[in-house]
Amino acid sequence: MSTVRVQLESSVPRSPAELWDWSTSVEGVVTEMGPVLKLDFPEGMTHIPRDGSDLGRPLGDYRFLLFGVVPVDLSRLTFTEMEPGRRFVEQSPLLSMKSWRHERIITPSRDGSKVVDRLEFTPRFAGPVVGWIIERFFRHRHAVLRKHYRERRSVARGEQGAQRIHA
């Protein structure tokens, strides 16, 4: 199986602090992923640890539910790097992947912030198909992110770029 690398970028008319709060909140993750997938967070959890505590240790086992109902994968959600307010790296063992790494970087831009998701993963099976699905899913996440902030405060839509590389 080959490793798939995908990078997506969006300009969002919000401050890095607001987008950091969104990106590390259960509400933000659930909203970006829905309605396609739901990550089964523990009841009462509002944010992932944003201060860098628990780095390298799984937060627990989290199920991915297709359309919020059908279990399709299991993650031992693990954050390995954290720059509070700017960047995190989630590098979690998944049943469907030999390796998985998701980095989100939020930086100031002229019109708000730039949000970059960098993914590097090696599927256990059907590499090209899984790679295509993951890329489309993260395009969906970025579209939801941009739409959420555009519609809430009537701000012009940001830009999106995607790049996919097979190694």
Side-chain angles (χ1 to χ4, degrees):
M1 294 283 148
S2 62
T3 298
V4 179
R5 291 179 183 86
V6 177
Q7 179 170 308
L8 291 116
E9 297 182 12
S10 291
S11 294
V12 182
R14 292 292 176 268
S15 72
E18 187 174 353
L19 292 173
W20 176 255
D21 187 61
W22 167 267
S23 295
T24 57
S25 72
V26 170
E27 176 189 6
V29 172
V30 168
T31 301
E32 281 185 26
M33 294 176 83
V36 179
L37 278 180
K38 179 182 178 192
L39 192 54
D40 200 12
F41 286 101
E43 191 160 331
M45 183 177 191
T46 61
H47 288 82
I48 63 168
R50 301 183 291 182
D51 60 0
S53 64
D54 294 325
L55 286 180
R57 290 184 295 200
L59 300 178
D61 292 333
Y62 295 76
R63 294 180 306 161
F64 286 96
L65 304 169
L66 185 62
F67 302 115
V69 179
V70 180
V72 293
D73 208 348
L74 182 68
S75 171
R76 300 217 62 211
L77 191 62
T78 307
F79 290 86
T80 57
E81 298 176 41
M82 184 83 57
E83 295 175 40
R86 183 183 175 280
R87 171 182 172 271
F88 66 75
V89 176
E90 176 242 334
Q91 203 162 338
S92 303
L94 291 155
L95 288 179
S96 65
M97 303 285 172
K98 288 182 180 179
S99 66
W100 172 264
R101 183 178 191 277
H102 169 213
E103 177 181 30
R104 179 164 279 193
I105 303 167
I106 302 167
T107 55
S109 68
R110 192 179 85 236
D111 297 325
S113 300
K114 181 169 74 168
V115 177
V116 177
D117 280 315
R118 291 184 183 142
L119 306 162
E120 186 172 320
F121 56 93
T122 306
R124 292 190 190 279
F125 57 89
V129 173
V130 172
W132 182 85
I133 290 168
I134 298 293
E135 180 183 342
R136 293 300 180 272
F137 177 65
F138 271 82
R139 283 180 184 268
H140 164 78
R141 286 188 67 168
H142 275 249
V144 169
L145 170 67
R146 290 189 317 272
K147 181 179 178 184
H148 177 79
Y149 282 103
R150 182 189 76 231
E151 289 183 356
R152 285 183 80 185
R153 297 199 178 103
S154 301
V155 178
R157 180 178 180 180
E159 301 170 11
Q160 175 191 11
Q163 176 181 7
R164 183 170 178 199
I165 305 161
H166 289 285

